[in-house]
Amino acid sequence: MVVTRATSEVADLDHDQLARMAIRVVIENWHGHATVPSRRLYPHQWSWDSAFIALGLQHLAPSRAAVELLSLFGAQWADGRLPHIAFNPAVTDDAYFPGPSFWRSSWLEGHPPIDTSGIIQPPVHAIAARAVMDRLGSSGLDFAARAYPALVGQNSYIRERRTVDGLAVVVHPWETGLDNSPAWDEPLRAVPADLSLFESYTRRDIDHARSSERPTDEDYARYIRLALAYRDAGYDDDWVRSSGEFVVVDPGFNGLWAWSELALAQMARGLGRNPDRHLSEAERITTALVDQLWSGARGIFLARDTRPGVLLGERTVAGLIPLVLPGLPDGIPTALCATLTGPSFCAGQPGVHGVPSFDFTDPRFNSRRYWRGPTWLNTTWLVAEGLRAHGEDALARRLCDDMVALVAGAGFREYFNPRTGSGHGTNNFSWSAALLLHVVAEG
Ligand code: 2M8
């Protein structure tokens, strides 16, 4: 594959200086035992953010990365679910919507010691925990002994409470991490957008970011409705799988779930345990992913809406994430690389920065609106990891160069215009800083 080098300035950038700036961001966003994604827009601990943040923190202070993850595991529910937000009690309820009084986790029997949301996010934590375990040296096994049961609990919850036909379902767009992806437009059409909800609830996100870069009020009303319904059903997963209005199988979530089982196998080995159940689980999920979500015609993994039982045709970056799996059948990695470098994503091409979150050729592509086109550093890094898993080192390197160039050009923004490199969303965003540290440290 022919890969163009990133812009020539990349070579001249002072990586040490950027790393120092990144350290300042993650330190400023640290609140004693965890890192907020952003002081104003996201003033609590977010689940998958913490995993990406820990990958960066391991280079600064591995013990801090360990605390970040263990702090999140302290918010785990008795059923194993790792909630998507662990609320900081020092922050007022109205600083973020929906806050603790909306989710009402403390009303539940056996609730965790702190307030949390009731939904989950992609299980990327074992990847970070394995890296932190290795980085900690002699104390790595003590950390792993504490982290491993929480991670096993997280994946058991997904397997036992959240699967349909062997793959994990998400019951809210927020559970995918790619909240506003155009892939959710069709399933969300079935969810009424009741704008009168804003008589009782106030969006806080648009106080801190431009509304043109955030979800519309209609979509936000749907998010509120879905979360309220799950909450009012007592976060009952039998109910939500059979009666929820949004029950979707996401290739990104499932790809990361399988990948996390491979990381758990390595942690199990380190702890002197048998890794086989993790290896066979990774294989089982990979096979189901290929059988149910691979589209040879589209050259990408697609999401599936379980309610009508149909594949959703959108090409999104989530469909490229299963590339992280080394056990994909022959032909699929090559086809994914062709899609990644082809007209939908143009990765590695001159004038394109990182991996756009959505298909350039779709009329709904939007270079500024949250998850509907912009490049994000976490998904670009995941695709780079996938490329490395399949020997595509030159393109992986190019994507990491792009990550550095984007930050050098626009700062630690939440997301970036894939064509111009301009920064959007919030500033001083933690995973942008942490992943910059990670790719710089890993060379
Ligand atoms: C965004 O999601 C939150 C809801 O969870 C929001 O928009 O309020 C997403 O980008 C998500 O992937 C991310 O984890 C979160 C915090 O950075 O922000």
Side-chain angles (χ1 to χ4, degrees):
M1 184 180 312
V2 179
V3 175
T4 332
R5 287 299 310 244
T7 46
S8 57
E9 307 92 82
V10 172
D12 305 329
L13 291 174
D14 180 341
H15 283 196
D16 288 344
Q17 199 184 348
L18 278 178
R20 278 196 296 278
M21 290 161 67
I23 289 170
R24 195 175 320 133
V25 171
V26 290
I27 286 182
E28 279 172 5
N29 289 347
W30 175 259
H31 63 75
H33 53 89
T35 312
V36 295
S38 139
R39 284 244 160 229
R40 292 192 309 151
L41 185 57
Y42 308 117
H44 301 282
Q45 182 175 23
W46 254 260
S47 172
W48 81 327
D49 295 60
S50 271
F52 295 118
I53 291 164
L55 283 168
L57 290 181
Q58 64 166 322
H59 305 288
L60 169 64
S63 54
R64 186 175 280 214
V67 171
E68 174 87 36
L69 291 172
L70 293 173
S71 157
L72 181 70
F73 300 153
Q76 189 164 29
W77 288 24
D79 62 7
R81 97 180 62 195
L82 199 56
H84 102 296
I85 306 175
F87 288 107
N88 179 356
V91 171
T92 57
D93 190 84
D94 63 357
Y96 175 79
F97 175 78
S101 65
F102 176 95
W103 295 100
R104 300 181 181 165
S105 65
S106 62
W107 291 26
L108 300 166
E109 225 173 280
H111 60 79
I114 58 162
D115 288 319
T116 73
S117 68
I119 58 172
I120 57 177
Q121 271 191 326
V124 72
H125 311 78
I127 309 304
R130 187 218 27 224
V132 172
M133 173 181 109
D134 293 346
R135 184 76 52 184
L136 277 167
S138 56
S139 54
L141 288 184
D142 290 342
F143 164 72
R146 296 174 69 190
Y148 178 79
L151 294 161
V152 169
Q154 175 187 25
N155 282 8
S156 302
Y157 165 75
I158 295 170
R159 188 180 60 250
E160 285 158 22
R161 306 297 305 149
R162 282 303 199 87
T163 48
V164 169
D165 298 332
L167 287 177
V169 288
V170 286
V171 300
H172 195 293
W174 288 342
E175 294 201 313
T176 68
L178 276 64
D179 308 6
N180 200 23
S181 166
W184 314 141
D185 290 355
E186 185 53 36
L188 282 178
R189 232 187 287 282
V191 181
D194 176 6
L195 294 180
S196 72
L197 283 169
F198 294 113
E199 289 162 18
S200 316
Y201 302 111
T202 308
R203 286 181 70 167
R204 295 287 169 202
D205 59 323
I206 44 182
D207 296 343
H208 306 299
R210 289 189 184 163
S211 57
S212 60
E213 298 179 6
R214 296 285 304 174
T216 60
D217 273 351
E218 282 71 16
D219 280 338
Y220 229 84
R222 294 183 170 104
Y223 301 158
I224 297 171
R225 178 185 167 96
L226 289 169
L228 279 175
Y230 191 32
R231 179 198 77 183
D232 291 344
Y235 299 109
D236 178 342
D237 292 315
D238 290 333
W239 174 83
V240 82
R241 276 179 301 175
S242 62
S243 310
E245 290 177 317
F246 183 93
V247 185
V248 164
V249 186
D250 173 38
F253 190 107
N254 280 282
L256 293 173
W257 182 30
W259 199 33
S260 74
E261 287 291 345
L262 295 175
L264 281 177
Q266 289 170 334
M267 290 182 79
R269 268 193 212 102
L271 288 166
R273 293 167 186 251
N274 187 337
D276 289 355
R277 67 174 169 139
H278 298 302
L279 296 173
S280 56
E281 184 65 347
E283 199 180 320
R284 184 195 66 75
I285 301 165
T286 305
T287 303
L289 195 61
V290 171
D291 288 351
Q292 297 180 41
L293 303 187
W294 174 248
S295 165
R298 302 283 287 157
I300 197 163
F301 288 92
L302 298 176
R304 181 167 172 272
D305 186 352
T306 65
R307 308 311 307 274
V310 293
L311 284 175
L312 299 162
E314 286 84 358
R315 288 192 177 113
T316 80
V317 67
L320 301 168
I321 287 175
L323 197 56
V324 295
L325 299 171
L328 290 176
D330 284 351
I332 289 187
T334 309
L336 281 172
C337 287
T339 303
L340 172 65
T341 52
S344 291
F345 298 98
C346 299
Q349 305 304 318
V352 174
H353 307 276
V355 184
S357 46
F358 187 50
D359 184 348
F360 278 128
T361 67
D362 189 296
R364 288 169 295 170
F365 175 88
N366 183 323
S367 59
R368 290 159 175 258
R369 203 187 278 275
Y370 173 90
W371 293 115
R372 298 180 78 84
T375 289
W376 294 68
L377 295 201
N378 65 332
T379 43
T380 296
W381 177 77
L382 288 167
V383 172
E385 284 293 293
L387 289 166
R388 230 174 260 125
H390 296 282
E392 296 288 351
D393 292 346
L395 185 52
R397 171 74 200 267
R398 160 66 202 264
L399 293 185
C400 291
D401 285 352
D402 283 358
M403 291 169 65
V404 176
L406 283 169
V407 165
F412 297 100
R413 299 299 298 264
E414 191 178 2
Y415 38 93
F416 304 85
N417 182 321
R419 293 259 185 228
T420 65
S422 58
H424 300 279
T426 194
N427 282 308
N428 296 328
F429 186 61
S430 292
W431 85 40
S432 296
L435 289 172
L436 179 284
L437 271 180
H438 187 48
V439 297
V440 165
E442 301 276 299

